[in-house]
């Protein structure tokens, strides 16, 4: 069909429809009703109307172009596609998952964990190498909620992104996180057998020189995706119990510099800009540059007190996939009232 009228002007949908014969429009409508309303398959429509299947397919496509068939997506309750798309566009993200829960950490963690588990189950691909921050209650909830995928191994490695040695009572949880994730995916677990935080750069460098530790650092360069929690300046109960936190004096110093959150103990300000302090020399974990080089970076966080940290992480490009709760999502989109249009 010629896309231009005799005057040389582009044809509108109306002029295109006028250029189509009444008989062809009738046939197009008949096929569209059989296919979309009665659920009849294309081969049977072709047989019923004594035309080729190729023509059935072509006329269905043309019916959509002419507006005879209009597709409307109606999200079910608890699905916030418009809000997710709005946040993704505003912050340059590749994907957003909004969970129908809001409030403080105790309320949102189980729901966020379940959503993150489903996201991982549906998006992990064979051969992926996954890095994970081990001191996160939300990620622990996600891994606990995961189900094994039929067919055995589909991840190559699961690698700790920061030191995993802490207080014995809490260390069990970090080890369980890695072990269960490896079990669910068939991956080889790569543990970081070192503390997440040490006294200074000299101690850090000595530990990183150990072959067992340096081999983990080498594995960070091959990651295809990472999943992390987003910390606020006030450490989570799990991180606090682990012993892998800065002293109160250091936290006050960070606060005075404008720190609002962290990923893997690398702190940033409200714009997501990494704070350059000597505290970075005390962290045993993936460096900011190595982390940003990971192709896909999933952040899982929610709760009212995490809003500033989450927004800063988005502004700074620390993550490109966000899984969060409805309350935080509404604020990110400038809609503090979730019922606002």
């Amino acid at each position: 069909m010629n896309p231009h009228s005799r005057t040389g002007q582009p044809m509108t949908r109306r002029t295109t429809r006028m250029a189509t014969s009444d008989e062809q429009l009738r046939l197009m409508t008949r096929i569209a009703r059989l296919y979309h309303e009665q659920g009849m398959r294309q081969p049977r429509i072709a047989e019923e109307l004594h035309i080729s299947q190729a023509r059935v397919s072509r006329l269905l496509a043309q019916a959509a172009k002419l507006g005879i068939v209009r597709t409307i997506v109606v999200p079910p309750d608890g699905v916030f596609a418009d809000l997710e798309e709005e946040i993704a566009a505003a912050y340059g993200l590749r994907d957003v998952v909004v969970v129908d829960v809001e409030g403080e950490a105790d309320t949102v963690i189980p729901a966020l964990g379940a959503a993150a588990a489903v996201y991982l189950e549906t998006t992990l691909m064979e051969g992926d190498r996954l890095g994970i921050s081990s001191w996160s209650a939300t990620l622990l909830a996600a891994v606990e909620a995961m189900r094994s995928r039929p067919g055995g191994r589909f991840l190559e490695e699961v690698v700790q992104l920061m030191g995993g040695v802490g207080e014995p009572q809490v260390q069990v949880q970090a080890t369980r996180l890695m072990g269960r994730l490896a079990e669910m995916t068939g991956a080889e677990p790569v543990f970081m057998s070192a503390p997440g935080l040490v006294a200074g750069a000299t101690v850090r460098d000595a530990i990183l020189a150990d072959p067992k530790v340096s081999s983990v650092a080498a594995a960070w360069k091959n990651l295809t995706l990472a999943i992390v929690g987003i910390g606020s300046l006030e450490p989570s109960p799990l991180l606090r119990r682990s012993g892998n936190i800065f002293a109160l004096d250091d936290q006050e110093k960070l606060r005075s510099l404008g720190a609002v959150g962290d990923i893997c103990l690398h702190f940033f300000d409200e714009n997501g800009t990494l704070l350059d302090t000597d505290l970075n020399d005390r962290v045993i974990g993936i460096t900011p540059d190595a982390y940003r080089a990971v192709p896909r970076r999933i952040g899982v966080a929610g709760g009212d007190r995490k809003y500033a940290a989450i927004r800063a992480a988005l502004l700074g490009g620390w993550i490109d996939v966000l899984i969060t709760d409805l309350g935080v999502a509404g604020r990110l989109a400038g809609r503090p009232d979730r019922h606002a249009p």
Side-chain angles (χ1 to χ4, degrees):
M1 185 181 296
N2 188 345
H4 294 81
S5 68
R6 292 180 182 177
T7 63
Q9 296 299 316
M11 295 178 68
T12 65
R13 178 175 293 176
R14 184 181 177 200
T15 58
T16 303
R17 187 178 288 182
M18 289 171 61
T20 305
S21 70
D22 290 343
E23 177 56 29
Q24 193 170 7
L25 287 172
R26 187 201 64 78
L27 181 60
M28 209 179 291
T29 304
R30 171 70 172 148
I31 290 171
R33 289 175 66 88
L34 289 173
Y35 184 77
H36 291 285
E37 294 181 359
Q38 298 183 29
M40 192 178 291
R41 295 180 179 275
Q42 291 187 31
R44 187 180 167 194
I45 294 173
E47 182 181 350
E48 188 97 1
L49 300 179
H50 303 287
I51 57 177
S52 70
Q53 187 176 338
R55 190 179 181 196
V56 170
S57 180
R58 187 168 61 251
L59 289 173
L60 281 171
Q62 195 173 351
K65 288 180 180 178
L66 295 179
I68 294 172
V69 175
R70 299 181 183 180
T71 303
I72 300 175
V73 178
V74 181
D77 290 342
V79 176
F80 307 97
D82 59 338
L83 183 57
E84 292 168 349
E85 290 169 6
E86 185 177 342
I87 295 170
Y91 295 95
L93 304 178
R94 68 167 73 204
D95 203 1
V96 176
V97 177
V98 175
V99 184
D100 192 6
V101 64
E102 54 188 308
E104 290 298 343
D106 291 345
T107 304
V108 304
I109 283 176
L112 291 181
V118 173
Y119 187 85
L120 287 176
E121 289 167 2
T122 55
T123 62
L124 288 176
M125 300 181 66
E126 186 175 354
D128 269 338
R129 296 174 183 269
L130 172 66
I132 186 166
S133 58
S134 53
W135 300 111
S136 168
T138 307
L139 296 189
L140 181 60
V143 172
E144 293 286 5
M146 281 187 71
R147 298 172 297 179
S148 58
R149 183 187 294 182
R153 180 173 182 172
F154 64 94
L155 276 187
E156 286 295 320
E157 289 182 330
V158 174
V159 186
Q160 273 186 288
L161 294 179
M162 56 185 293
V165 175
E167 293 297 319
Q169 309 93 308
V170 185
Q171 174 62 35
V172 172
Q173 292 178 286
T175 304
R176 188 170 84 238
L177 182 153
M178 285 286 293
R180 179 170 171 80
L181 184 54
E183 178 186 353
M184 291 296 99
T185 61
E188 185 72 25
V190 180
F191 292 94
M192 171 58 85
S193 300
L197 192 64
V198 294
T202 302
V203 178
R204 182 203 62 184
D205 293 344
I207 292 175
L208 289 175
D210 184 285
K212 291 183 179 179
V213 176
S214 62
S215 64
V216 182
W220 292 331
K221 298 177 183 178
N222 298 317
L223 296 175
T224 58
L225 73 157
I227 183 166
V228 297
I230 301 173
S232 60
L233 189 57
E234 180 70 21
S236 69
L238 179 63
L239 184 59
R240 187 186 298 279
R241 293 198 306 273
S242 76
N244 290 288
I245 61 170
F246 295 115
L248 290 177
D249 288 348
D250 293 328
Q251 291 179 44
E252 285 303 318
K253 181 178 180 180
L254 287 166
R255 183 174 284 107
S256 69
L257 292 172
V260 298
D262 79 283
I263 286 179
C264 295
L265 293 182
H266 298 298
F267 284 85
F268 41 79
D269 65 17
E270 64 180 359
N271 297 312
T273 302
L274 178 68
L275 295 175
D276 184 15
T277 75
D278 57 359
L279 299 176
N280 292 328
D281 296 332
R282 297 170 53 193
V283 176
I284 296 182
I286 191 168
T287 64
D289 287 344
Y291 169 77
R292 288 177 180 277
V294 179
R296 187 155 58 107
R297 304 179 306 281
I298 306 164
V300 188
D304 295 338
R305 74 179 182 88
K306 290 283 188 79
Y307 168 71
I310 294 169
R311 182 175 182 273
L314 298 184
L315 291 174
W318 289 87
I319 61 173
D320 56 14
V321 176
L322 173 66
I323 301 174
T324 194
D325 66 274
L326 183 56
V328 168
R331 294 176 69 183
L332 289 172
R335 296 194 234 163
D337 179 357
R338 71 173 185 172
H339 300 295

